[in-house]
């Protein structure tokens, strides 16, 4: 079975507590809505409360007995205390995490390495890699408290093969693949599975910023690429770890 063609029953994520970063827009938003419709207790992470509340309201209007939660935190400025406080409130409210999806990310600018701004480089590496490391670290006890926990990191085609002018974004995605592999190997004997997904070209704001001239209608929408995410978050991927899957 190929994960991108995975089909699933409509209660596949029932009662799973799942934290999704960057739930306010693009792929994260679509995944959050889908996971909630499949029975998950979703925690919507983001930095923009208005956008998060719109997703929250959309979930409440269509489903479910499980009320979503909002975790407001700007990954660019969060400090150790912010991460600890998020983990403490999750511990208090849920006591475990069945899924953690590191989806939030920024593109930076499309410059050559020679011309890349050093401050921007640090920002991209920080939001795309260091923040995912810090969040993973504080969430580890919550993941260990779940029966069948799963972490998903978000990679990219340019995180597997370097490409001119993709600068810090590409390098951050190589680092993300590395972080995922190291963590997966550290937990090879345990119940925690750790994997990457490369979404592939998807119709979002980030893609538009990277390719302003392309035909957007030729791209898959976020809604159309979610099967691999659901596969890795649900019970059918038990034992799958250290992999990097393609959503398309
Ligand atoms: P997007 O539409 O730009 O969404 C990015 C999400 O990350 C938004 O929710 C955004 O919040 C959030 N975010 C950014 N900076 C943040 C910060 N400092 N603190 C908290 N949240 C922050 O992008 P997307 O295309 O859905 O991308 C999702 C993931 O897929 C990214 O990791 C991206 O690298 C990866 N990816 C995308 C494509 C593609 O073709 N779209 C291809 C390969 C990989 P706001 O709403 O507040 O901006």
């Amino acid at each position: 079975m190929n994960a991108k063609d995975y089909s699933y029953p409509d209660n596949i994520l029932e009662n799973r507590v799942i934290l999704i970063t960057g739930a306010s827009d693009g792929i994260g938003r679509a995944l959050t809505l889908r996971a909630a419709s499949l029975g998950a207790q979703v925690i919507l992470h983001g930095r923009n409360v208005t956008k998060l509340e719109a997703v929250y309201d959309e979930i409440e209007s269509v489903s479910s007995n499980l009320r979503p939660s909002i975790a407001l935190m700007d990954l660019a400025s969060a400090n150790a205390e912010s991460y600890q406080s998020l983990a403490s409130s999750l511990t208090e409210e849920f006591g475990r995490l069945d899924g953690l999806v590191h989806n939030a990310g920024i593109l930076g600018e499309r410059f050559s390495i020679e011309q890349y701004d050093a401050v921007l480089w640090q920002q991209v590496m920080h939001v795309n890699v260091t923040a995912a490391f810090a969040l993973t670290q504080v969430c580890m006890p919550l993941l260990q408290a779940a029966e069948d926990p799963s972490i998903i990191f978000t990679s990219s085609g340019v995180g597997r093969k370097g490409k001119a002018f993709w600068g810090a974004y590409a390098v951050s995605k190589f680092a993300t693949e590395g972080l995922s592999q190291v963590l997966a190997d550290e937990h090879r004997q345990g119940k925690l599975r750790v994997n990457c997904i490369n979404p592939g070209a998807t119709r979002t704001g980030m893609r538009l910023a990277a390719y302003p001239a392309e035909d957007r209608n030729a791209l898959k929408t976020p809604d159309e690429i979610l099967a691999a995410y659901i596969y890795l978050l649900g019970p059918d991927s038990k034992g799958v770890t250290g992999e990097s899957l393609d959503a398309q």
Side-chain angles (χ1 to χ4, degrees):
M1 198 260 323
N2 204 319
K4 67 183 178 358
D5 302 320
Y6 177 61
S7 59
Y8 44 84
D10 62 10
N11 63 349
I12 188 81
L13 300 182
E14 202 152 61
N15 295 323
R16 288 186 185 238
V17 181
I18 299 175
L19 169 59
I20 298 165
T21 72
S24 56
D25 215 333
I27 296 165
R29 177 180 178 282
L31 177 61
T32 303
L33 292 167
R34 178 73 55 83
S37 77
L38 297 171
Q41 162 67 62
V42 283
I43 301 143
L44 289 59
H45 160 270
R47 61 182 166 178
N48 180 322
V49 74
T50 309
K51 286 169 84 173
L52 290 172
E53 280 174 355
V55 182
Y56 181 104
D57 290 345
E58 199 169 331
I59 293 170
E60 282 224 308
S61 72
V62 287
S63 40
S64 89
N65 310 327
L66 297 168
R67 296 189 56 182
S69 290
I70 286 181
L72 192 64
M73 187 168 80
D74 188 333
L75 298 174
S77 56
N79 57 23
E81 210 177 304
S82 333
Y83 285 102
Q84 207 46 65
S85 143
L86 172 56
S88 301
S89 54
L90 295 178
T91 306
E92 214 168 281
E93 202 173 346
F94 305 109
R96 68 172 205 284
L97 258 190
D98 303 289
L100 171 58
V101 184
H102 293 293
N103 161 80
I106 54 172
L107 182 65
E109 296 283 352
R110 303 279 307 281
F111 284 130
S112 68
I113 294 294
E114 262 173 288
Q115 291 175 327
Y116 210 95
D117 180 73
V119 173
L120 181 61
W121 179 280
Q122 277 189 323
Q123 285 165 356
V124 173
M125 296 302 288
H126 187 84
V127 170
N128 292 3
V129 186
T130 309
F133 153 74
L135 184 59
T136 301
Q137 204 174 46
V138 294
C139 286
M140 207 53 96
L142 285 153
L143 289 154
Q144 293 294 5
E147 262 175 41
D148 180 32
S150 174
I151 302 181
I152 300 175
F153 289 94
T154 307
S155 180
S156 165
V158 297
R160 294 178 183 160
K161 172 109 179 68
K163 205 170 168 189
F165 310 118
W166 279 83
Y169 179 82
V171 175
S172 76
K173 295 301 187 181
F174 271 90
T176 298
E177 293 268 359
L179 172 57
S180 177
Q181 285 179 24
V182 170
L183 185 63
D185 203 44
E186 286 169 1
H187 291 269
R188 183 91 29 209
Q189 306 306 326
K191 59 187 173 178
L192 176 66
R193 57 184 176 281
V194 184
N195 295 284
C196 273
I197 291 183
N198 168 22
T202 310
R203 200 188 306 167
T204 67
M206 182 185 288
R207 177 76 192 184
L208 178 64
Y211 293 95
E214 83 182 337
D215 174 11
R216 280 172 68 70
N217 293 326
L219 298 173
K220 289 262 171 71
T221 65
D223 258 344
E224 293 172 317
I225 63 143
L226 298 178
Y229 291 86
I230 305 305
Y231 170 67
L232 286 179
L233 288 170
D236 291 328
S237 57
K238 256 184 204 154
V240 175
T241 196
E243 303 286 330
S244 188
L245 305 183
D246 290 315
Q248 300 186 43

